[in-house]
Amino acid sequence: MRFLWNKIGCHYSREEWFCMKLALIVLWVPLIVSTLTKYDSAPLSVGICKVFPCDIFIHNGVSDFFILTTLVVAVLYLLEWKTRWLTIIMFLISLLTFSVEESNGVLERRGLLTFIFFAQFLAYSFSRRKTSKHLAQNRVQFSIQIIAVGYTLSAFSKLYNSGIYWVLDGKNMALQILKSFHYQYIDLGNAEYLREANIMVGAFGKNENLIYIALACTLIIEAFALISILNKKTAFVYGTLLLLMHAGIAHVMAINITAIVYPMIIFMLNPIYLAVKFLLSAFKYATNRPFERKTDAFN
């Protein structure tokens, strides 16, 4: 644990930033491509589609052009070429694409992912030099701020609409658990989800206090998510806390909001970078160990 803590450090290096960008692109590009190839209309006109004719945007020829543009800007983004302008282009592509998805009645809450690119655009706009120490911090910190604000707004929304009853109504959680697992059963056709739903409902039915504690902890963790923006190490600690929260939600309710969970993991925990550092350190330790010649036990 001390090794991992030391590897976190206090500042964001170029290597860390590249690992974050790589993970973000691996998440973003498939989402954009799959959405543009899945829908051919925007019947509900949600979001930007209320003021922009999104049907034009997703016609075959136009959508193919945007897919190609997505692939090109993704590569250039990794190469750190004209990143200021690339991030605003990526923001606009996300805004249009995910508005089309929502205009088809699919609400995946991908607005947070969209605004991460806008936050990075601001970071690059505030700094005129690529080597600026402020840029190295801001392009990550601004992204974390967007994520933290998303969690905080989620908590405030719960409190505004339900108040403390969001926790006290936990006795009705069994209905939400059943609904979530049945959705998974309908989507995937796996009857195992029905068995898991009955197990979860039975477990919580025997101990309602556990439900209240879990909901209260979730609300508190979301409400104080802005703590994560203090510095790099608090972001890592709070990211770990949020990851445990999401793991509990996924286990109990079969809910995994990819567009929120994955960006949080990428910018707060940066698992690719930590894995690479760990493997390199382990390899270095293994190769630098003094050779110990084994002697024959009979000599």
Side-chain angles (χ1 to χ4, degrees):
M1 183 60 69
R2 180 180 298 179
F3 165 82
L4 185 60
W5 188 252
N6 291 336
K7 289 301 177 184
I8 296 172
C10 299
H11 303 286
Y12 296 100
S13 65
R14 286 180 297 177
E15 292 78 14
E16 287 177 285
W17 173 237
F18 179 80
C19 289
M20 291 178 185
K21 289 194 299 181
L22 178 61
L24 185 62
I25 288 302
V26 170
L27 170 66
W28 181 68
V29 170
L31 290 177
I32 296 296
V33 173
S34 64
T35 301
L36 290 176
T37 54
K38 185 184 299 182
Y39 304 109
D40 57 4
S41 64
L44 301 180
S45 297
V46 175
I48 196 68
C49 293
K50 289 183 178 180
V51 296
F52 180 84
C54 291
D55 286 330
I56 298 175
F57 170 63
I58 52 180
H59 283 169
N60 289 334
V62 181
S63 63
D64 291 342
F65 169 78
F66 272 93
I67 290 174
L68 179 60
T69 302
T70 297
L71 297 175
V72 171
V73 298
V75 173
L76 296 178
Y77 175 73
L78 290 176
L79 296 175
E80 202 73 18
W81 184 84
K82 301 292 183 181
T83 315
R84 176 188 176 189
W85 302 113
L86 289 176
T87 48
I88 195 64
I89 292 172
M90 296 166 86
F91 165 74
L92 293 173
I93 291 174
S94 294
L95 183 64
L96 286 168
T97 302
F98 298 143
S99 292
V100 167
E101 185 176 55
E102 292 185 0
S103 295
N104 280 271
V106 180
L107 303 178
E108 294 288 350
R109 304 179 187 179
R110 288 172 178 161
L112 183 143
L113 178 60
T114 299
F115 276 94
I116 284 177
F117 292 114
F118 186 75
Q120 293 177 11
F121 165 74
L122 293 179
Y124 280 94
S125 298
F126 292 161
S127 178
R128 296 182 179 180
R129 294 184 302 168
K130 288 185 178 181
T131 57
S132 169
K133 292 182 179 179
H134 293 295
L135 174 60
Q137 291 294 111
N138 289 344
R139 60 194 178 189
V140 180
Q141 279 295 328
F142 284 14
S143 301
I144 292 176
Q145 288 170 19
I146 289 292
I147 296 168
V149 167
Y151 281 105
T152 304
L153 290 177
S154 176
F156 286 172
S157 175
K158 293 180 178 69
L159 290 172
Y160 178 80
N161 291 306
S162 304
I164 193 62
Y165 288 102
W166 189 83
V167 175
L168 298 179
D169 286 343
K171 59 186 177 181
N172 299 321
M173 183 61 67
L175 297 176
Q176 181 62 49
I177 294 173
L178 287 173
K179 183 180 78 171
S180 298
F181 276 96
H182 276 73
Y183 275 152
Q184 294 294 327
Y185 168 67
I186 293 172
D187 289 341
L188 303 175
N190 188 349
E192 183 67 18
Y193 284 106
L194 300 180
R195 188 183 71 83
E196 291 183 11
N198 293 329
I199 292 174
M200 290 298 170
V201 170
F204 280 100
K206 295 177 181 178
N207 191 352
E208 287 189 359
N209 291 331
L210 187 60
I211 299 177
Y212 300 138
I213 293 172
L215 292 177
C217 288
T218 298
L219 190 60
I220 292 171
I221 291 171
E222 288 186 336
F224 290 94
L226 287 174
I227 292 175
S228 63
I229 71 175
L230 294 178
N231 55 57
K232 185 179 178 182
K233 289 189 175 181
T234 58
F236 183 84
V237 172
Y238 217 90
T240 303
L241 193 61
L242 288 167
L243 180 60
L244 293 174
M245 181 192 78
H246 282 294
I249 293 173
H251 177 67
V252 173
M253 303 180 65
I255 296 177
N256 183 13
I257 307 173
T258 304
I260 295 176
V261 179
Y262 287 0
M264 181 277 294
I265 294 175
I266 291 169
F267 289 99
M268 291 190 184
L269 302 179
N270 200 2
I272 294 179
Y273 176 77
L274 291 178
V276 170
K277 292 293 288 185
F278 177 81
L279 291 174
L280 289 176
S281 297
F283 177 77
K284 183 178 179 180
Y285 173 78
T287 54
N288 289 342
R289 289 183 62 186
F291 178 74
E292 297 177 1
R293 185 174 60 184
K294 295 183 180 179
T295 58
D296 191 338
F298 294 100
N299 289 340

